[in-house]
Amino acid sequence: MGDNALMSEVLELVDVSVVRDGRALVDDVSWSIKEGERWVILGPNGAGKTTLLNLASSYLFPSTGSARILGEQLGAVDVFDLRPRIGMAGIAMAEKLPRGQTVLQTVLTAAYGMTAHWQENYDQVDETRARAFLDRLGMNEYLDRKFGTLSEGERKRTLIARAMMTDPELLLLDEPAAGLDLGGREDLVRRLGRLARDPYAPSMIMVTHHVEEIPPGVTHVLMIRQGKVLTAGPIDMELTSRNLSRCFGLPLLVERNGDRWTAQGLPLT
Ligand SMILES: Nc1ncnc2c1ncn2[C@@H]1O[C@H](COP(=O)(O)OP(=O)(O)O)[C@@H](O)[C@H]1O
Ligand SMILES: [Mg+2]
């Protein structure tokens, strides 16, 4: 059972490292997330972003250090009790899902913690919820389409609806906008922005390489480079040209336009 004093902590990593083949993929990371916060993780390819999400989803255990997720200590809790409380939408999940299942079935099966097997007797309540999540993500027209025939953007939106289906307390999105065209990206960012601003939506962590993909409503940013956290805190304070330049290793100018962000490389002088 959760420790009451820590129930508002969604995630608490203390001195966490993940070591593979003698190399620290995540290197002595301390990071804490409180209920209701919406985080974005920024960092170059190979920085350790997905590894951090795998820790947060309890699919990976720290080599050293301590990880607490939704008030439960990793290592002291049955992960099969913990995992249904966490929604994860990433590439790895897409590959596990049967291509022949319809979009509606793909989302519905999440309610039963399965990646396959369509049952006849789904609850009407579940079906209503699945349709509502798909509607919210603009997938109304695709309910009967086979998952395997969807475009990348449609697949991503289906996966997010699927991740919402278990009513998670923590939602993890790994590069949700990667590979989308401009229209698809803007549509998704707008929908994620609505989710981020919904006070009833779960706490959220989203990974991206691009500040243009940060949805309105994101409250915090963590920057990671070579497994080490460079900065973590309120986005208004931490998403600066100086920090982003250090993170990506070249001079960058970050600008905020209303509730969106842009970044560009500075000309060499
Ligand atoms: N199971 C593993 N064994 C060894 N190295 C790994 C493993 N998984 C990931 N890596 C490496 O760890 C680094 C961080 O990976 P990852 O977290 O996927 O980065 P990101 O998501 O930021 O691009 C990369 O260099 C990657 O090649
Ligand atoms: Mg990754």
Side-chain angles (χ1 to χ4, degrees):
M1 277 285 94
D3 180 334
N4 280 331
L6 289 165
M7 280 313 271
S8 67
E9 294 283 349
V10 170
L11 181 73
E12 174 97 79
L13 303 181
V14 180
D15 301 331
V16 165
S17 294
V18 174
V19 180
R20 295 284 181 276
D21 310 322
R23 191 164 73 93
L25 313 184
V26 161
D27 195 355
D28 203 21
V29 166
S30 294
W31 180 29
S32 102
I33 297 185
K34 299 215 166 20
E35 212 173 292
E37 292 178 351
R38 283 87 172 87
W39 282 76
V40 65
I41 301 178
L42 290 172
N45 278 321
K49 302 180 297 298
T50 297
T51 307
L52 272 185
L53 280 198
N54 288 340
L55 282 164
S57 64
S58 82
Y59 277 85
L60 195 98
F61 280 43
S63 308
T64 57
S66 125
R68 225 177 212 297
I69 306 168
L70 298 171
E72 306 288 352
Q73 186 73 37
L74 218 53
V77 63
D78 185 341
V79 289
F80 293 100
D81 292 333
L82 188 55
R83 283 177 191 163
R85 300 171 62 194
I86 304 164
M88 172 85 153
I91 317 283
M93 178 49 78
E95 283 159 5
K96 285 187 201 125
L97 294 167
R99 299 172 52 86
Q101 241 174 25
T102 69
V103 165
L104 183 60
Q105 288 168 346
T106 302
V107 173
L108 256 175
T109 53
Y112 300 84
M114 301 180 298
T115 49
H117 303 306
W118 171 246
Q119 292 184 346
E120 296 300 322
N121 54 343
Y122 285 101
D123 233 307
Q124 190 56 46
V125 178
D126 289 325
E127 180 163 337
T128 305
R129 290 181 68 240
R131 285 173 182 273
F133 289 131
L134 282 163
D135 181 44
R136 222 166 140 182
L137 285 149
M139 289 298 291
N140 233 346
E141 314 280 299
Y142 300 85
L143 300 179
D144 297 322
R145 274 278 292 281
K146 300 240 184 304
F147 184 70
T149 69
L150 296 176
S151 76
E152 191 150 349
E154 293 153 3
R155 206 173 315 150
K156 290 207 157 131
R157 286 184 281 152
T158 303
L159 287 179
I160 296 169
R162 186 174 199 281
M164 300 283 292
M165 194 59 197
T166 56
D167 200 9
E169 292 158 71
L170 175 59
L171 182 62
L172 308 173
L173 306 174
D174 199 353
E175 299 190 40
L180 302 186
D181 67 18
L182 184 58
R185 179 189 87 182
E186 286 306 298
D187 181 66
L188 184 68
V189 168
R190 200 161 37 86
R191 290 176 194 282
L192 291 178
R194 246 183 256 151
L195 199 60
R197 284 184 164 145
D198 180 349
Y200 297 103
S203 304
M204 236 181 274
I205 310 176
M206 179 190 137
V207 164
T208 179
H209 297 117
H210 301 290
V211 300
E212 288 76 6
E213 294 174 359
I214 300 176
V218 165
T219 59
H220 289 73
V221 64
L222 177 141
M223 291 187 208
I224 183 170
R225 179 179 170 83
Q226 293 174 351
K228 284 197 162 63
V229 171
L230 289 181
T231 179
I235 194 162
D236 293 329
M237 288 172 61
E238 303 299 340
L239 187 45
T240 61
S241 297
R242 184 170 179 276
N243 283 339
L244 200 71
S245 301
R246 273 205 302 151
C247 184
F248 285 89
L250 78 168
L252 291 165
L253 176 67
V254 177
E255 286 175 307
R256 184 173 189 157
N257 303 311
D259 52 16
R260 297 288 299 277
W261 301 83
T262 59
Q264 58 182 309
L266 289 174
L268 302 169
T269 50

